Protein backbone atom coordinates (compact mmCIF):
# COMPACT_ATOMS: atom_id res chain seq x y z
CA UNK A 1 0.00 0.00 0.00
CA UNK A 2 2.85 2.41 0.84
CA UNK A 3 4.43 1.73 -2.54
CA UNK A 4 1.08 2.32 -4.26
CA UNK A 5 0.55 5.66 -2.48
CA UNK A 6 4.11 6.73 -3.31
CA UNK A 7 3.56 5.80 -6.95
CA UNK A 8 0.33 7.85 -7.03
CA UNK A 9 2.13 10.87 -5.57
CA UNK A 10 4.96 10.61 -8.06
CA UNK A 11 2.51 10.25 -10.94
CA UNK A 12 0.50 13.26 -9.81
CA UNK A 13 3.66 15.34 -9.49
CA UNK A 14 4.78 14.42 -12.99
CA UNK A 15 1.39 15.20 -14.50
CA UNK A 16 1.19 18.59 -12.81
CA UNK A 17 4.77 19.42 -13.75
CA UNK A 18 4.07 18.62 -17.39
CA UNK A 19 0.82 20.53 -17.33
CA UNK A 20 2.47 23.59 -15.81
CA UNK A 21 4.85 23.72 -18.75
CA UNK A 22 2.02 23.44 -21.28
CA UNK A 23 0.55 26.76 -22.45
CA UNK A 24 -2.82 25.23 -23.27
CA UNK A 25 -4.18 25.37 -19.74
CA UNK A 26 -7.67 26.35 -18.69
CA UNK A 27 -6.45 29.67 -17.31
CA UNK A 28 -4.42 30.74 -20.31
CA UNK A 29 -6.11 31.03 -23.67
CA UNK A 30 -9.85 30.62 -23.39
CA UNK A 31 -9.86 26.87 -23.96
CA UNK A 32 -11.88 24.42 -21.91
CA UNK A 33 -9.61 21.53 -20.92
CA UNK A 34 -11.35 18.15 -20.81
CA UNK A 35 -9.57 15.11 -19.41
CA UNK A 36 -10.28 11.42 -19.04
CA UNK A 37 -8.89 8.46 -17.19
CA UNK A 38 -6.73 5.95 -19.00
CA UNK A 39 -9.07 3.31 -20.42
CA UNK A 40 -11.32 3.04 -23.47
CA UNK A 41 -14.66 3.97 -21.92
CA UNK A 42 -13.15 7.04 -20.31
CA UNK A 43 -11.58 8.14 -23.58
CA UNK A 44 -14.98 7.81 -25.25
CA UNK A 45 -16.69 9.80 -22.49
CA UNK A 46 -14.00 12.47 -22.54
CA UNK A 47 -14.43 12.89 -26.28
CA UNK A 48 -18.21 12.94 -25.82
CA UNK A 49 -17.94 15.74 -23.29
CA UNK A 50 -15.50 17.65 -25.49
CA UNK A 51 -17.62 17.42 -28.64
CA UNK A 52 -20.78 18.34 -26.75
CA UNK A 53 -19.13 21.48 -25.37
CA UNK A 54 -17.70 22.45 -28.74
CA UNK A 55 -20.91 22.01 -30.72
CA UNK A 56 -23.30 23.43 -28.10
CA UNK A 57 -21.26 26.45 -27.02
CA UNK A 58 -18.74 27.21 -29.75
CA UNK A 59 -15.97 27.22 -27.15
CA UNK A 60 -12.59 25.72 -27.93
CA UNK A 61 -11.78 22.47 -26.14
CA UNK A 62 -8.33 21.08 -25.45
CA UNK A 63 -8.28 17.34 -24.80
CA UNK A 64 -6.18 15.65 -22.13
CA UNK A 65 -7.57 12.18 -22.73
CA UNK A 66 -5.92 9.08 -21.26
CA UNK A 67 -4.47 11.31 -18.55
CA UNK A 68 -4.32 8.76 -15.74
CA UNK A 69 -6.27 7.30 -12.86
CA UNK A 70 -8.69 8.84 -10.38
CA UNK A 71 -6.07 10.61 -8.24
CA UNK A 72 -4.27 12.09 -11.24
CA UNK A 73 -7.45 13.52 -12.79
CA UNK A 74 -8.67 14.85 -9.45
CA UNK A 75 -5.38 16.57 -8.61
CA UNK A 76 -5.20 18.09 -12.09
CA UNK A 77 -8.66 19.56 -11.51
CA UNK A 78 -7.62 21.00 -8.14
CA UNK A 79 -4.52 22.53 -9.72
CA UNK A 80 -6.62 24.24 -12.40
CA UNK A 81 -4.93 22.34 -15.22
CA UNK A 82 -8.14 20.53 -16.17
CA UNK A 83 -11.66 21.98 -16.26
CA UNK A 84 -13.82 18.86 -16.52
CA UNK A 85 -13.77 15.08 -16.64
CA UNK A 86 -16.25 12.28 -16.06
CA UNK A 87 -16.04 10.43 -12.76
CA UNK A 88 -18.03 7.55 -11.27
CA UNK A 89 -19.96 8.42 -8.12
CA UNK A 90 -18.93 5.32 -6.17
CA UNK A 91 -15.27 6.00 -6.91
CA UNK A 92 -15.58 9.64 -5.84
CA UNK A 93 -17.43 8.56 -2.70
CA UNK A 94 -14.94 5.95 -1.52
CA UNK A 95 -11.62 7.00 -3.07
CA UNK A 96 -11.75 10.80 -2.90
CA UNK A 97 -14.17 11.40 -0.01
CA UNK A 98 -12.95 8.31 1.90
CA UNK A 99 -16.46 7.14 2.81
CA UNK A 100 -17.52 3.57 3.51
CA UNK A 101 -19.43 2.03 0.57
CA UNK A 102 -23.23 2.31 0.62
CA UNK A 103 -25.70 0.99 -1.95
CA UNK A 104 -28.24 3.84 -2.33
CA UNK A 105 -27.49 5.59 -5.69
CA UNK A 106 -29.26 8.83 -4.78
CA UNK A 107 -27.60 9.05 -1.37
CA UNK A 108 -24.16 8.50 -2.92
CA UNK A 109 -24.80 11.10 -5.64
CA UNK A 110 -26.02 13.72 -3.17
CA UNK A 111 -23.13 13.14 -0.77
CA UNK A 112 -20.61 13.37 -3.60
CA UNK A 113 -22.25 16.55 -4.87
CA UNK A 114 -22.11 18.07 -1.40
CA UNK A 115 -18.65 16.73 -0.59
CA UNK A 116 -17.09 18.11 -3.77
CA UNK A 117 -18.08 21.64 -2.78
CA UNK A 118 -14.96 21.70 -0.59
CA UNK A 119 -12.87 21.33 -3.76
CA UNK A 120 -14.81 24.04 -5.63
CA UNK A 121 -15.96 21.35 -8.03
CA UNK A 122 -19.52 20.90 -9.26
CA UNK A 123 -21.12 17.50 -9.77
CA UNK A 124 -23.49 17.82 -12.75
CA UNK A 125 -26.38 15.49 -13.74
CA UNK A 126 -25.38 11.85 -14.24
CA UNK A 127 -25.21 10.47 -17.78
CA UNK A 128 -27.69 7.67 -17.16
CA UNK A 129 -25.64 4.51 -16.67
CA UNK A 130 -23.50 2.84 -14.04
CA UNK A 131 -20.18 1.17 -14.66
CA UNK A 132 -19.82 -0.93 -11.57
CA UNK A 133 -17.23 -3.55 -10.71
CA UNK A 134 -18.29 -6.89 -12.16
CA UNK A 135 -17.12 -10.26 -10.88
CA UNK A 136 -16.85 -12.38 -14.00
CA UNK A 137 -16.48 -16.08 -14.77
CA UNK A 138 -16.57 -18.07 -17.99
CA UNK A 139 -20.03 -18.70 -19.38
CA UNK A 140 -19.30 -22.41 -19.60
CA UNK A 141 -18.56 -22.52 -15.85
CA UNK A 142 -21.72 -20.56 -15.03
CA UNK A 143 -23.81 -23.08 -16.99
CA UNK A 144 -21.95 -26.11 -15.68
CA UNK A 145 -22.44 -25.17 -12.02
CA UNK A 146 -25.68 -23.20 -12.50
CA UNK A 147 -24.13 -20.06 -11.04
CA UNK A 148 -25.88 -16.70 -11.11
CA UNK A 149 -24.81 -14.94 -7.90
CA UNK A 150 -21.67 -14.31 -5.89
CA UNK A 151 -23.17 -16.15 -2.93
CA UNK A 152 -23.61 -19.28 -5.06
CA UNK A 153 -20.04 -18.98 -6.35
CA UNK A 154 -18.40 -19.00 -2.93
CA UNK A 155 -18.56 -22.80 -2.68
CA UNK A 156 -16.47 -23.12 -5.86
CA UNK A 157 -14.09 -20.20 -5.22
CA UNK A 158 -11.52 -22.31 -3.29
CA UNK A 159 -10.90 -24.18 -6.55
CA UNK A 160 -10.39 -21.01 -8.59
CA UNK A 161 -7.50 -18.76 -9.45
CA UNK A 162 -8.53 -15.10 -9.42
CA UNK A 163 -7.01 -12.31 -11.50
CA UNK A 164 -7.49 -8.68 -10.41
CA UNK A 165 -6.05 -5.28 -11.21
CA UNK A 166 -3.94 -3.69 -8.46
CA UNK A 167 -6.51 -0.97 -7.82
CA UNK A 168 -9.26 -3.52 -7.16
CA UNK A 169 -7.07 -5.42 -4.72
CA UNK A 170 -6.19 -2.28 -2.75
CA UNK A 171 -9.33 -0.12 -2.90
CA UNK A 172 -11.75 0.30 0.01
CA UNK A 173 -14.59 -0.84 -2.26
CA UNK A 174 -12.54 -3.63 -3.84
CA UNK A 175 -11.50 -7.18 -3.03
CA UNK A 176 -10.80 -6.99 0.74
CA UNK A 177 -14.34 -5.86 1.54
CA UNK A 178 -15.86 -8.18 -1.04
CA UNK A 179 -14.09 -11.21 0.44
CA UNK A 180 -15.29 -10.27 3.91
CA UNK A 181 -18.88 -9.64 2.83
CA UNK A 182 -19.22 -12.96 1.03
CA UNK A 183 -16.73 -14.98 3.10
CA UNK A 184 -14.96 -15.55 -0.21
CA UNK A 185 -12.02 -17.90 0.19
CA UNK A 186 -9.64 -18.53 -2.71
CA UNK A 187 -7.20 -21.40 -3.15
CA UNK A 188 -4.29 -18.98 -3.56
CA UNK A 189 -3.78 -15.20 -3.54
CA UNK A 190 -5.21 -13.37 -6.58
CA UNK A 191 -2.86 -12.73 -9.46
CA UNK A 192 -2.22 -9.01 -9.92
CA UNK A 193 -2.81 -8.31 -13.60
CA UNK A 194 -2.92 -5.43 -16.03
CA UNK A 195 -6.58 -4.69 -16.79
CA UNK A 196 -5.91 -5.08 -20.50
CA UNK A 197 -4.95 -8.74 -19.97
CA UNK A 198 -7.71 -10.06 -17.71
CA UNK A 199 -10.08 -11.17 -20.46
CA UNK A 200 -7.40 -12.97 -22.42
CA UNK A 201 -6.33 -14.67 -19.19
CA UNK A 202 -9.81 -15.93 -18.31
CA UNK A 203 -10.50 -17.19 -21.84
CA UNK A 204 -7.11 -18.96 -21.89
CA UNK A 205 -8.02 -20.47 -18.47
CA UNK A 206 -5.03 -18.93 -16.74
CA UNK A 207 -7.53 -17.54 -14.21
CA UNK A 208 -11.12 -18.43 -13.38
CA UNK A 209 -12.50 -15.29 -11.75
CA UNK A 210 -11.74 -11.69 -12.72
CA UNK A 211 -12.90 -8.22 -11.71
CA UNK A 212 -14.02 -6.32 -14.79
CA UNK A 213 -16.50 -3.53 -15.42
CA UNK A 214 -20.18 -3.99 -16.16
CA UNK A 215 -20.00 -2.01 -19.42
CA UNK A 216 -17.00 -3.86 -20.85
CA UNK A 217 -17.57 -4.78 -24.49
CA UNK A 218 -15.87 -8.17 -24.15
CA UNK A 219 -18.37 -9.68 -21.71
CA UNK A 220 -21.03 -10.73 -24.21
CA UNK A 221 -18.61 -11.17 -27.10
CA UNK A 222 -16.47 -13.70 -25.20
CA UNK A 223 -19.38 -15.60 -23.59
CA UNK A 224 -18.58 -14.45 -20.07
CA UNK A 225 -21.00 -14.20 -17.15
CA UNK A 226 -21.31 -11.46 -14.53
CA UNK A 227 -22.07 -12.87 -11.10
CA UNK A 228 -24.87 -10.90 -9.47
CA UNK A 229 -23.84 -8.92 -6.41
CA UNK A 230 -26.77 -10.32 -4.43
CA UNK A 231 -25.65 -8.79 -1.12
CA UNK A 232 -25.34 -5.31 -2.61
CA UNK A 233 -21.69 -4.91 -1.69
CA UNK A 234 -20.58 -2.60 -4.49
CA UNK A 235 -21.68 1.04 -4.27
CA UNK A 236 -23.35 2.64 -7.31
CA UNK A 237 -20.96 3.97 -9.94
CA UNK A 238 -22.96 6.48 -11.96
CA UNK A 239 -20.93 8.22 -14.67
CA UNK A 240 -21.11 11.93 -13.90
CA UNK A 241 -19.33 15.00 -15.33
CA UNK A 242 -17.31 16.95 -12.76
CA UNK A 243 -16.57 20.61 -13.58
CA UNK A 244 -14.57 23.35 -11.87
CA UNK A 245 -16.92 25.98 -10.42
CA UNK A 246 -14.61 28.76 -11.60
CA UNK A 247 -14.93 27.50 -15.17
CA UNK A 248 -18.73 27.38 -14.99
CA UNK A 249 -18.76 30.94 -13.69
CA UNK A 250 -16.42 32.12 -16.45
CA UNK A 251 -18.39 30.40 -19.24
CA UNK A 252 -22.16 30.51 -18.44
CA UNK A 253 -23.04 28.53 -21.59
CA UNK A 254 -21.13 25.55 -20.24
CA UNK A 255 -23.64 24.49 -17.59
CA UNK A 256 -26.69 23.95 -19.88
CA UNK A 257 -24.48 22.33 -22.53
CA UNK A 258 -23.19 19.70 -20.10
CA UNK A 259 -26.63 19.27 -18.51
CA UNK A 260 -27.95 18.18 -21.92
CA UNK A 261 -26.02 14.93 -21.50
CA UNK A 262 -27.90 14.03 -18.31
CA UNK A 263 -29.70 10.70 -18.60
CA UNK A 264 -28.77 10.29 -22.27
CA UNK A 265 -26.69 7.08 -22.11
CA UNK A 266 -27.89 3.75 -20.75
CA UNK A 267 -25.69 0.75 -19.93
CA UNK A 268 -26.39 -1.07 -23.20
CA UNK A 269 -25.55 2.03 -25.23
CA UNK A 270 -22.28 2.50 -23.36
CA UNK A 271 -21.37 -1.14 -23.87
CA UNK A 272 -22.10 -0.72 -27.59
CA UNK A 273 -19.91 2.39 -27.81
CA UNK A 274 -17.10 0.47 -26.12
CA UNK A 275 -17.54 -2.40 -28.57
CA UNK A 276 -17.41 -0.12 -31.62
CA UNK A 277 -14.05 1.19 -30.48
CA UNK A 278 -12.52 -2.00 -29.04
CA UNK A 279 -14.24 -4.67 -31.15
CA UNK A 280 -14.62 -2.91 -34.48
CA UNK A 281 -11.55 -0.66 -34.10
CA UNK A 282 -13.45 2.46 -35.09
CA UNK A 283 -12.18 5.97 -34.47
CA UNK A 284 -13.42 7.38 -31.17
CA UNK A 285 -14.20 10.81 -32.61
CA UNK A 286 -16.34 9.30 -35.36
CA UNK A 287 -18.20 6.99 -32.97
CA UNK A 288 -18.96 9.88 -30.61
CA UNK A 289 -20.03 12.21 -33.42
CA UNK A 290 -22.55 9.64 -34.68
CA UNK A 291 -23.91 9.08 -31.18
CA UNK A 292 -24.42 12.78 -30.47
CA UNK A 293 -26.15 13.25 -33.83
CA UNK A 294 -28.45 10.28 -33.22
CA UNK A 295 -29.40 11.72 -29.81
CA UNK A 296 -30.03 15.18 -31.23
CA UNK A 297 -27.41 16.70 -28.96
CA UNK A 298 -24.92 19.47 -29.52
CA UNK A 299 -27.20 22.52 -29.81
CA UNK A 300 -28.80 24.67 -27.14
Amino acid sequence: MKKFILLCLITVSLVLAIASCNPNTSEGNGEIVVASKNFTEQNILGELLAQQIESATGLKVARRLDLGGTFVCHQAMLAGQVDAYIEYTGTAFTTILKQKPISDPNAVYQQVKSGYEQFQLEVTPALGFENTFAMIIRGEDARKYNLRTLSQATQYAPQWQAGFGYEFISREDGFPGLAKTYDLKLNKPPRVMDLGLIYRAIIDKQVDLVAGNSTDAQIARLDLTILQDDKGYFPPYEATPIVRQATLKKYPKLRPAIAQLGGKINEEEMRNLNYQVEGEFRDIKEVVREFLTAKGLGKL
Side-chain angles (χ1 to χ4, degrees):
M1 177 60 73
K2 290 182 180 179
K3 290 182 179 179
F4 175 66
I5 294 172
L6 179 61
L7 179 61
C8 287
L9 293 174
I10 292 172
T11 303
V12 169
S13 299
L14 288 173
V15 168
L16 297 182
I18 293 170
S20 66
C21 296
N22 193 324
N24 291 327
T25 65
S26 60
E27 300 296 337
N29 60 2
E31 286 186 330
I32 305 298
V33 182
V34 171
S36 78
K37 300 187 194 183
N38 52 347
F39 55 94
T40 299
E41 177 171 298
Q42 275 281 303
N43 290 333
I44 293 171
L45 293 175
E47 181 62 30
L48 181 79
L49 185 57
Q51 287 193 27
Q52 171 67 9
I53 292 170
E54 287 173 333
S55 58
T57 69
L59 294 167
K60 294 181 180 179
V61 176
R63 290 154 173 80
R64 298 290 182 268
L65 306 185
D66 215 35
L67 181 62
T70 299
F71 292 110
V72 172
C73 290
H74 182 69
Q75 290 299 323
M77 292 273 282
L78 297 185
Q81 304 298 339
V82 167
D83 293 296
Y85 83 107
I86 292 174
E87 185 56 273
Y88 304 97
T89 53
T91 301
F93 189 69
T94 58
T95 303
I96 301 299
L97 298 180
K98 308 298 183 184
Q99 299 298 309
K100 296 291 184 181
I102 59 175
S103 59
D104 183 339
N106 185 60
V108 170
Y109 178 87
Q110 293 301 329
Q111 289 188 52
V112 170
K113 186 174 180 66
S114 175
Y116 267 49
E117 288 284 338
Q118 67 184 295
F119 306 123
Q120 288 77 54
L121 300 177
E122 181 157 328
V123 178
T124 67
L127 299 181
F129 76 93
E130 288 186 32
N131 183 358
T132 185
F133 280 123
M135 304 308 297
I136 297 167
I137 61 175
R138 287 180 290 274
E140 61 184 271
D141 290 340
R143 292 186 290 270
K144 178 179 179 181
Y145 301 113
N146 192 29
L147 298 179
R148 297 184 302 278
T149 69
L150 274 166
S151 291
Q152 292 172 334
T154 55
Q155 62 182 307
Y156 299 99
Q159 307 167 30
W160 291 345
Q161 172 67 65
F164 302 145
Y166 185 86
E167 190 172 3
F168 182 73
I169 290 177
S170 61
R171 275 174 55 155
E172 176 68 31
D173 55 344
F175 179 65
L178 180 77
K180 183 177 180 180
T181 299
Y182 284 94
D183 193 25
L184 185 65
K185 295 180 172 62
L186 299 170
N187 184 39
K188 57 183 72 173
R191 289 178 57 183
V192 181
M193 307 184 68
D194 185 280
L195 292 178
L197 301 177
I198 61 171
Y199 290 111
R200 180 185 296 273
I202 194 169
I203 290 301
D204 290 344
K205 299 189 176 181
Q206 298 173 16
V207 296
D208 307 290
L209 174 72
V210 298
N213 298 299
S214 59
T215 55
D216 286 346
Q218 300 95 320
I219 293 172
R221 183 162 54 92
L222 298 177
D223 184 31
L224 301 173
T225 295
I226 297 175
L227 294 169
Q228 179 187 345
D229 177 19
D230 52 302
K231 293 188 177 181
Y233 166 71
F234 292 119
Y237 295 90
E238 296 181 290
T240 305
I242 309 293
V243 191
R244 294 179 67 235
Q245 292 176 352
T247 306
L248 292 171
K249 184 177 180 179
K250 185 176 181 180
Y251 302 105
K253 294 187 292 185
L254 203 56
R255 190 188 304 275
I258 294 174
Q260 273 193 339
L261 296 174
K264 290 298 193 296
I265 310 176
N266 61 38
E267 187 172 301
E268 183 179 353
E269 288 170 330
M270 191 67 244
R271 193 179 291 118
N272 181 52
L273 290 173
N274 287 334
Y275 177 73
Q276 289 185 61
V277 174
E278 292 185 341
E280 298 181 352
F281 307 106
R282 297 189 61 201
D283 180 69
I284 287 179
K285 289 187 176 182
E286 180 182 342
V287 169
V288 167
R289 191 177 302 115
E290 289 179 1
F291 179 80
L292 288 174
T293 300
K295 289 286 185 176
L297 295 167
K299 295 182 180 180
L300 293 178

